[in-house]
Amino acid sequence: MLVLGDAHASEPDRRETLLATYRTLEPSTVIQLGDLEHYDLPAPTWFVAGNNEDLDVIDALRAGETPSNVHNVTLLASSVAEIDGLLVAGLSGNYAPTKYDLPRDELVGERRRHFTREDVERAAALSEVDVFLTHEAPKGLLSYGYDPGCEHVNALLQAISPELCLVGHHHRHREAEIDGVRVVSLAPAWERTYTLDPDDLTLDSRPTSEGDPNGTAERSGP
């Protein structure tokens, strides 16, 4: 299973790097951690929305619709899918404290990128999740002289207790055990590509250079 961090594929160079990764590795399944921005892909891809997306596409996918320019893409928005024998769930969007308690239909324009309390409550009700995807990090994973994590993500780790949580948004690789869950923040897709073994959740990674995802592998696991 190919696993990718932020892609920012609205930029031509980033898009070419993303598509080159698919061409080179020929994955059968892909999971991606948000800021995808390109939704016509060569292999089945499940993703969570980030804070940089075509929000009209995201709204359509939330509503169960598939726009004509979308192929091989499934949004995980407080929902779960079985992928290669794993139950993979995701929380789409990022956190804004002033928008968190609003109904989703009151989020307009760029504010549609945020998750709401309702989104978190729906995600918390999911069960038997193996891998949880989130664009927003939990507290305790990253530090910039302050902790940028979101306590609502920590609450979800406690509620659904996945074996593994994968995080996008921050463009750096970090690992920690948080609330009994192995949590990994992914480097962006133009820097590293990852593969996940569905049997033991071992995560291998390789540097990406000018669209070539081959290189020396690094491994992390439980």
Side-chain angles (χ1 to χ4, degrees):
M1 183 187 299
L2 178 63
V3 182
L4 298 172
D6 293 23
H8 290 275
S10 62
E11 301 176 28
D13 290 348
R14 302 287 191 231
R15 181 165 60 251
E16 177 52 34
T17 298
L18 176 69
L19 295 176
T21 297
Y22 278 78
R23 289 194 301 268
T24 302
L25 298 180
E26 298 182 332
S28 58
T29 53
V30 183
I31 55 179
Q32 196 275 333
L33 275 298
D35 288 356
L36 179 55
E37 295 190 289
H38 182 73
Y39 313 98
D40 184 359
L41 296 173
T45 301
W46 288 259
F47 80 113
V48 288
N51 55 301
N52 295 284
E53 304 285 1
D54 182 327
L55 295 174
D56 291 334
V57 169
I58 299 304
D59 280 353
L61 294 173
R62 284 183 184 275
E65 303 167 359
T66 304
S68 60
N69 61 338
V70 174
H71 299 95
N72 280 327
V73 169
T74 301
L75 178 69
L76 294 174
S78 303
S79 57
V80 64
E82 183 174 350
I83 309 171
D84 290 356
L86 295 175
L87 288 180
V88 180
L91 174 71
S92 280
N94 73 320
Y95 176 57
T98 59
K99 305 301 176 183
Y100 182 68
D101 288 312
L102 294 179
R104 175 152 296 282
D105 60 11
E106 291 187 18
L107 300 181
V108 298
E110 292 300 307
R111 292 301 187 178
R112 293 177 291 165
R113 68 184 183 267
H114 302 306
F115 61 74
T116 66
R117 180 181 298 278
E118 179 183 344
D119 296 327
V120 169
E121 289 176 349
R122 287 207 330 270
L126 301 173
S127 60
E128 300 183 359
V129 172
D130 299 305
V131 180
F132 182 60
L133 313 180
T134 176
H135 194 65
E136 192 77 76
K139 287 189 174 296
L141 179 63
L142 295 151
S143 175
Y144 299 91
Y146 70 96
D147 189 334
C150 173
E151 62 186 7
H152 299 299
V153 178
N154 294 79
L156 283 174
L157 296 183
Q158 296 165 18
I160 64 179
S161 191
E163 294 294 320
L164 174 66
C165 174
L166 300 175
V167 176
H169 191 43
H170 293 280
H171 296 191
R172 59 178 61 189
H173 184 100
R174 292 289 186 273
E175 301 187 30
E177 182 173 319
I178 300 172
D179 297 312
V181 177
R182 181 164 62 105
V183 182
V184 183
S185 170
L186 301 190
W190 61 87
E191 289 185 2
R192 302 197 72 81
T193 59
Y194 297 78
T195 54
L196 181 66
D197 186 331
D199 292 328
D200 62 8
L201 299 184
T202 296
L203 194 67
D204 289 332
S205 72
R206 288 179 169 83
T208 302
S209 176
E210 297 301 324
D212 179 5
N214 296 310
T216 303
E218 297 180 7
R219 171 166 291 196
S220 65

